[in-house]
Amino acid sequence: MSGEAIRVRFAPSPTGPLHIGGVRTALYNFLFARQHNGKFILRIEDTDRNRFVPGAEEYIIKSLSWCGIQFDEGVHLGGPFGPYRQSDRKHLYKQYIDILVENEHAYYAFDSHDDLEEAHEKNPNFQYDALSRMKMCNSLTLPKEEVKRRIAAGEPYVVRALIPIDIVIRVNDLIRGEVEVESKTLDDKVLFKSDGMPTYHLANIVDDHLMEITHVIRGEEWLPSAPLHVLLYEFFGWEKPQFAHLPLLLRPDGNGKLSKRDGDRLGFPVYPLEWTDPKTGEKSMGYRESGYYPEAFINMLALLGWNPGTEQEIFSLDELIDAFSLERVGKSGSRFDPEKAKWFNQQYLRKRSDDELTQEFIPILKNLGVDCSWEYVKESIHLVRERVSFVKEIWDQGWFFFKPPEKYDEEVIKKRWKPETSQILQKFSDTLLHLDTFDQVHLDETIQNFLQENAVEMGALMSPLRICLTGGAIGPHLTEIMALIGKEETLHRIETALKKINH
Ligand code: GLU
């Protein structure tokens, strides 16, 4: 591929939020472009105005920018091949459809909606194709003058591709190899409408050609369109780009394509950022709002469909750029695993320093109305960081560093709080009162001495003590908690628990 200037594009239609499958398509294009020192373009394919959703284009741009996926040219950046939004390129397409009609690769069709419905009613397998087209109302069946008259009179029409009857179309796919399709299985797709708008197929091919796209890397759902696209390139006599159709992202159980409904049902996001439907106001979760790091999200997505051929799982964006190859993209669908997604986030969280995590956690504390010193927050985080996958989980694992328990776990009390417990705790509390250096070393020593002197079992003191300090049975080492919250707070929590639990 050396010598050739690689140009790839991500070409979403602004019909809603960007699904994670779309983010993965953008990511693979980006990695491919960067690896080959090529250019990566964002083109908005909005020819279908009926499916246009306000805010979707902005959402797509924001999402990819959050992911760290950068473009060289595009609707938001401009560039030498602009405009990059198809509705702004409307004036360009007519001349190309004219070429196709002139060379008898396309024809005008005037069939009304009702005529087409009727054809479908008569034959549910009806296709507008080589077998049926001569029975329909189009420029192949009407006299030339009549066609001219209808167009001049402003009658609505579409322009359809004239698919050759009996040829084999070969699509060379970098992932799937050569795919052969018989032309008779294709229908005469609509390429252009009398309102002056091209359909997806025509605009897509014309733009890929004009924008000098060398590789079309897109989702598998576009594979059925590829034979028509190849034909269009041949009709125009243009050089074809290389195609690579990426495997689908599958539901966690492997049955079918991953959809928003699966995410809602199983409680994981399928969109990079939170999305509010402009019509219904319904909100959908986003990876960002769920606490994912963009690096973790991207790393996880990169491995859904591509594998490096080694055991390595953690890749920075730069490492992905080096390691990625289309040859190592699989043909079969990749099952999405929400637990693995969390695991990736945990790996990236573990790479963060205590200070970085403190910086990320302090705004969460502020929201909860907690105001503590940087050092105090940092020490708390240090004690629980191994137990969390997300920064917001630090609160779930360590809230007791910031406030006393409001209630005590009944189950744990039933098991661990014995008739002699209060007496032991009271005595232990008196011992602590005299301890001057309240650090972990001295606390461990004090506890050992206390247990020996009073012939008390370790569990008989430590379990109830944990209930007093944290309300339950989990958390980091107890003397670490005591040392951090300090003597006064420790004594206070024991006193409160003794009052509340015994009555
Ligand atoms: N506009 C199409 C989409 O929404 C683009 C398909 C392609 O990349 O050719 O996915």
Side-chain angles (χ1 to χ4, degrees):
M1 257 176 276
S2 62
E4 190 188 0
I6 299 282
R7 290 177 58 82
V8 294
R9 82 312 192 264
F10 180 53
S13 298
T15 54
L18 187 58
H19 181 275
I20 55 176
V23 181
R24 189 197 55 176
T25 299
L27 174 65
Y28 285 9
N29 273 285
F30 167 76
L31 297 176
F32 185 77
R34 285 289 171 278
Q35 187 175 66
H36 295 283
N37 286 320
K39 295 277 188 256
F40 182 33
I41 293 120
L42 177 62
R43 183 173 76 223
I44 297 293
E45 300 207 324
D46 59 347
T47 51
D48 188 351
R49 301 309 287 175
N50 296 327
R51 295 183 60 216
F52 178 82
V53 172
E57 182 181 312
E58 293 75 9
Y59 176 92
I60 292 166
I61 294 170
K62 258 208 241 155
S63 297
L64 296 174
S65 143
W66 176 70
C67 295
I69 297 175
Q70 291 163 349
F71 292 90
D72 302 296
E73 300 165 25
V75 69
H76 56 316
L77 298 171
F81 295 82
Y84 293 91
R85 189 185 292 110
Q86 288 183 329
S87 55
D88 296 336
R89 302 170 64 78
K90 190 176 166 188
H91 58 283
L92 282 166
Y93 304 109
K94 173 89 169 64
Q95 55 189 301
Y96 293 100
I97 202 66
D98 288 347
I99 294 175
L100 291 184
V101 172
E102 209 159 289
N103 295 334
E104 294 177 3
H105 292 307
Y107 60 94
Y108 294 98
F110 301 96
D111 314 270
S112 67
H113 182 73
D114 288 349
D115 293 342
L116 293 172
E117 288 266 285
E118 204 187 300
H120 275 287
E121 257 162 45
K122 274 195 201 144
N123 171 12
N125 297 326
F126 172 80
Q127 257 233 130
Y128 212 116
D129 60 13
L131 285 181
S132 62
R133 65 169 80 106
M134 295 315 282
K135 293 179 209 125
M136 305 301 288
C137 181
N138 55 47
S139 57
L140 306 172
T141 56
L142 294 171
K144 254 200 183 108
E145 288 312 310
E146 172 65 5
V147 172
K148 270 198 196 143
R149 188 197 62 76
R150 286 184 182 227
I151 294 173
E155 272 188 38
Y157 64 83
V158 297
V159 182
R160 289 181 179 271
L162 183 59
I163 305 288
I165 182 156
D166 240 346
I167 60 166
V168 173
I169 306 164
R170 290 191 177 80
V171 180
N172 253 316
D173 189 278
L174 292 171
I175 295 166
R176 275 148 228 278
E178 194 173 77
V179 182
E180 286 191 353
V181 179
E182 294 194 40
S183 65
K184 62 169 168 274
T185 61
L186 304 185
D187 64 331
D188 292 354
K189 280 265 179 307
V190 173
L191 300 177
F192 195 83
K193 296 186 183 159
S194 47
D195 64 2
M197 266 298 199
T199 61
Y200 155 73
H201 300 290
L202 181 73
N204 186 270
I205 267 43
V206 167
D207 286 348
D208 280 347
H209 171 71
L210 294 178
M211 295 181 183
E212 298 179 10
I213 299 302
T214 56
H215 295 74
V216 168
I217 305 169
R218 62 185 173 189
E220 183 181 306
E221 62 273 29
W222 299 103
L223 190 59
S225 302
L228 171 66
H229 296 180
V230 165
L231 263 186
L232 290 175
Y233 280 104
E234 287 172 3
F235 289 167
F236 283 117
W238 293 338
E239 198 187 329
K240 293 187 264 296
Q242 305 233 46
F243 291 99
H245 289 91
L246 307 174
L248 292 178
L249 287 192
L250 303 178
R251 289 162 43 167
D253 63 9
N255 287 328
K257 200 174 150 181
L258 181 70
S259 75
K260 177 177 127 41
R261 249 174 297 129
D262 301 312
D264 291 345
R265 193 168 48 86
L266 299 168
F268 61 82
V270 295
Y271 301 136
L273 312 182
E274 189 176 84
W275 165 258
T276 308
D277 187 303
K279 268 209 197 108
T280 62
E282 188 201 350
K283 267 196 183 7
S284 304
M285 291 189 268
Y287 277 83
R288 182 180 66 184
E289 291 74 14
S290 301
Y292 280 84
Y293 292 123
E295 311 93 281
F297 175 58
I298 283 304
N299 192 157
M300 180 263 305
L301 275 184
L303 289 164
L304 282 176
W306 166 79
N307 77 82
T310 65
E311 293 294 301
Q312 186 179 347
E313 290 190 283
I314 300 300
F315 287 87
S316 67
L317 204 53
D318 282 342
E319 287 171 326
L320 284 173
I321 291 170
D322 277 346
F324 183 74
S325 72
L326 285 173
E327 290 73 40
R328 299 205 72 91
V329 173
K331 288 192 193 58
S332 50
S334 314
R335 193 187 289 223
F336 176 77
D337 178 355
E339 288 310 311
K340 191 74 186 191
K342 288 183 194 158
W343 178 85
F344 272 106
N345 209 64
Q346 185 183 45
Q347 303 311 304
Y348 279 83
L349 186 143
R350 289 188 174 164
K351 285 175 181 226
R352 297 283 208 268
S353 67
D354 287 346
D355 276 312
E356 284 169 316
L357 291 178
T358 304
Q359 178 142 31
E360 293 165 18
F361 188 49
I362 280 183
I364 297 179
L365 281 179
K366 283 228 167 85
N367 260 339
L368 291 162
V370 177
D371 189 12
C372 284
S373 75
W374 181 279
E375 273 313 306
Y376 186 86
V377 176
K378 182 172 157 182
E379 281 181 46
S380 320
I381 289 174
H382 186 74
L383 297 181
V384 295
R385 53 174 298 154
E386 287 304 310
R387 298 163 182 262
V388 303
S389 302
F390 298 94
V391 171
K392 64 181 180 191
E393 288 177 352
I394 295 173
W395 176 259
D396 308 326
Q397 293 294 329
W399 56 269
F400 43 79
F401 292 121
F402 308 103
K403 62 171 196 158
E406 276 152 23
K407 50 186 191 327
Y408 304 95
D409 187 325
E410 290 293 340
E411 288 297 305
V412 184
I413 291 175
K414 240 191 251 160
K415 255 208 241 147
R416 306 278 180 208
W417 201 276
K418 303 275 149 60
E420 64 279 12
T421 295
S422 305
Q423 207 196 343
I424 298 173
L425 282 174
Q426 191 57 60
K427 206 162 184 191
F428 180 65
S429 163
D430 294 342
T431 312
L432 289 184
L433 197 58
H434 301 292
L435 185 64
D436 288 331
T437 316
F438 211 77
D439 62 14
Q440 213 196 333
V441 176
H442 287 85
L443 282 166
D444 280 333
E445 200 181 283
T446 308
I447 288 172
Q448 284 313 324
N449 292 341
F450 178 86
L451 296 177
Q452 257 178 23
E453 279 163 25
N454 297 285
V456 171
E457 291 280 327
M458 175 80 110
L461 171 67
M462 299 309 262
S463 298
L465 186 56
R466 186 176 286 280
I467 298 175
C468 299
L469 301 181
T470 71
I474 55 142
H477 202 295
L478 211 47
T479 51
E480 286 179 329
I481 302 179
M482 292 163 78
L484 188 57
I485 64 177
K487 182 166 161 179
E488 204 182 317
E489 181 67 15
T490 302
L491 291 175
H492 184 66
R493 288 192 192 183
I494 297 174
E495 193 187 340
T496 312
L498 283 175
K499 273 193 212 142
K500 284 195 182 166
I501 293 176
N502 286 327
H503 296 290

